[in-house]
Amino acid sequence: MTEKTTPQPHAGADWAQQVWLWPLQATRLALDSYAQWFADSRPAPSRAPEQAPLAWTTPNTVALQLPSMRLRQFLQGKAEQQPVLVCAPYALHGAEIADFAPGHSLVEALHKGGIDRVYVSDWCSATPEMRHLSIDNYLADLNVAIDEIGAPVDLVGLCQGGWLSLIYAARFPGKVRRLVLAGAPVDVSKPSELSKMVAALPQPAFEQMVRQGDGVVSGEHMLRFWNIPFSQHDVETALQRDLGDGSDEAQMLLDRFERWDRAALDLPGTYYLEVTERVFRKNQIARGRFVALGRKIDLAEVRLPVFLLAGESDIVVPRNQAFATARLLGTQPAWLERACEPCGHLGLFMGSKALSHSWRRIARWLQADIGDVAGARISA
């Protein structure tokens, strides 16, 4: 039997970056070190006792329950204000990344920036009945959610929620007013650790993983394969905050981060295979070959105002990859904004400095008159 090995972090990368790579690292590790496990027909390990769901930080209600998501509604002040929908990443960690904790919540930052109507796509963990859901199914449910909110919306895509948001904006141009893409992988011809890892694995490896899970990619199994314990420094890096004072608040943040990391979502096998093959291996979105809900997507037809946000030390979606999206769009230069934060991937969404700086700027940009956007840059 092949000896079990312990995966080592990428040189120069902290755990806060690696948490986004483990689903693919786990696939490689499964092939290299768990070949016998794949060959066996042993039952799956028993699940650990389930904890209560992680509570959201900001009060909210579920406006809509769909097969793929709960549409969460965060309202304050004027209900008639322009709505903002945060499309969270669906990549094995929960959407609480958008509302992690006080001072580390994108929802909170948008509210403080004057945006009263905020919605978040809270993606559901896949059940066996969901194993055949595809990217089209997620786009269709996103479309239903936006109809429920009332189009047009301002769409904010985080990480893999970014490419999904961009495809949606291209497929339904009249339903999106402005688009924010934060740490979003679109043109993977600009390499990253994520895209290189997918390219290094043959597609049958991903297919084998899906078959092993009877059509569902198990988040729990992935955590078993790829379990890098985080340190206090890792969490401080992600949150851009010193947690060394030993306070109850610091311990709460450390405990909450651990719970968020451990509560991995399962993914539908069909969706997972489409993402690895169509988005990352074949780069169909950037190459103009992606078909969404029966129509080929041409990013040059995306002409709405777009804001691109990147992390200077992001190894998951490097700055040059995040900004490469700009050349694919039909957006006029005066409507295109860019910002780069001195942080890694998680810091873009949870970091106190990024939230108080670039996201404050984004909130102003979302509320600016179109003439202001077209005629002058929004100052940092």
Side-chain angles (χ1 to χ4, degrees):
M1 179 177 292
T2 306
E3 183 180 354
K4 180 176 179 179
T5 60
T6 301
Q8 297 299 317
H10 182 272
D14 58 48
W15 178 90
Q17 302 272 24
Q18 293 293 312
V19 68
W20 291 84
L21 301 179
W22 67 255
L24 299 168
Q25 291 276 29
T27 306
R28 182 169 66 186
L29 182 64
L31 294 176
D32 293 345
S33 305
Y34 289 86
Q36 185 63 45
W37 184 85
F38 272 123
D40 290 346
S41 57
R42 288 175 291 178
S46 58
R47 285 186 174 270
E50 293 188 4
Q51 286 187 312
L54 194 65
W56 289 74
T57 299
T58 307
N60 66 89
T61 59
V62 176
L64 196 64
Q65 176 73 62
L66 296 168
S68 69
M69 76 156 98
R70 291 168 292 271
L71 177 63
R72 293 195 177 268
Q73 175 178 264
F74 303 79
L75 299 182
Q76 68 172 18
K78 300 177 181 178
E80 68 273 12
Q81 194 186 49
Q82 172 67 30
V84 172
L85 171 58
V86 177
C87 187
Y90 186 38
L92 293 155
H93 280 89
E96 296 90 353
I97 189 173
D99 189 41
F100 179 71
H104 304 281
S105 164
L106 175 53
V107 171
E108 177 188 69
L110 293 174
H111 277 171
K112 286 183 176 180
I115 297 175
D116 293 337
R117 294 183 64 196
V118 180
Y119 297 80
V120 174
S121 63
D122 181 11
W123 304 109
C124 301
S125 186
T127 63
E129 293 74 24
M130 295 168 64
R131 63 186 181 276
H132 296 305
L133 291 186
S134 65
I135 293 174
D136 271 359
N137 292 116
Y138 286 85
L139 285 169
D141 278 2
L142 187 60
N143 188 45
V144 172
I146 288 175
D147 284 346
E148 178 73 14
I149 295 169
V153 302
D154 291 339
L155 195 52
V156 175
L158 310 182
C159 187
Q160 294 206 49
W163 62 255
L164 189 70
S165 297
L166 179 58
I167 291 172
Y168 181 87
R171 181 63 180 82
F172 299 100
K175 293 188 175 185
V176 180
R177 190 186 71 120
R178 297 183 192 176
L179 180 65
V180 179
L181 303 178
V186 176
D187 184 0
V188 297
S189 67
K190 307 295 182 182
S192 69
E193 291 301 310
L194 183 62
S195 59
K196 287 189 292 186
M197 202 175 298
V198 177
L201 287 168
Q203 188 67 6
F206 297 101
E207 295 169 356
Q208 190 173 22
M209 175 183 291
V210 172
R211 286 196 298 271
Q212 184 67 33
D214 292 327
V216 173
V217 177
S218 168
E220 185 177 4
H221 284 172
M222 293 301 92
L223 282 175
R224 287 174 183 269
F225 285 143
W226 184 244
N227 182 19
I228 302 179
F230 67 84
S231 68
Q232 179 171 312
H233 171 72
D234 298 325
V235 183
E236 289 178 339
T237 299
L239 301 183
Q240 298 178 319
R241 179 171 177 175
D242 182 6
L243 300 177
D245 60 6
S247 65
D248 290 343
E249 181 185 9
Q251 189 59 51
M252 182 277 291
L253 288 171
L254 289 167
D255 293 344
R256 186 171 176 81
F257 200 95
E258 180 179 18
R259 287 187 60 195
W260 173 79
D261 174 49
R262 297 295 301 179
L265 303 180
D266 298 338
L267 301 179
T270 297
Y271 170 86
Y272 184 68
L273 293 177
E274 286 185 349
V275 171
T276 56
E277 179 72 0
R278 298 173 63 188
V279 177
F280 288 100
R281 294 175 62 82
K282 294 185 176 179
N283 202 20
Q284 288 184 352
I285 301 173
R287 292 176 177 173
R289 300 175 183 173
F290 195 96
V291 177
L293 295 170
R295 182 178 297 171
K296 185 176 287 188
I297 297 302
D298 182 0
L299 296 184
E301 295 181 357
V302 176
R303 300 185 175 92
L304 73 166
V306 175
F307 197 115
L308 302 175
L309 179 62
E312 186 64 46
S313 56
D314 191 344
I315 67 170
V316 181
V317 184
R319 172 179 177 165
N320 66 335
Q321 186 183 97
F323 287 166
T325 303
R327 66 177 179 82
L328 304 173
L329 306 175
T331 300
Q332 58 179 289
W335 288 4
L336 185 63
E337 294 285 336
R338 296 178 181 88
C340 187
E341 281 290 325
C343 66
H345 197 65
L346 285 179
L348 284 177
F349 320 122
M350 294 178 167
S352 58
K353 296 176 183 177
L355 291 170
S356 63
H357 182 230
S358 283
W359 285 104
R360 180 180 178 185
R361 176 183 169 189
I362 289 169
R364 294 200 303 270
W365 178 81
L366 289 171
Q367 296 170 88
D369 291 339
I370 193 67
D372 293 336
V373 176
R377 295 293 181 182
I378 306 300
S379 60

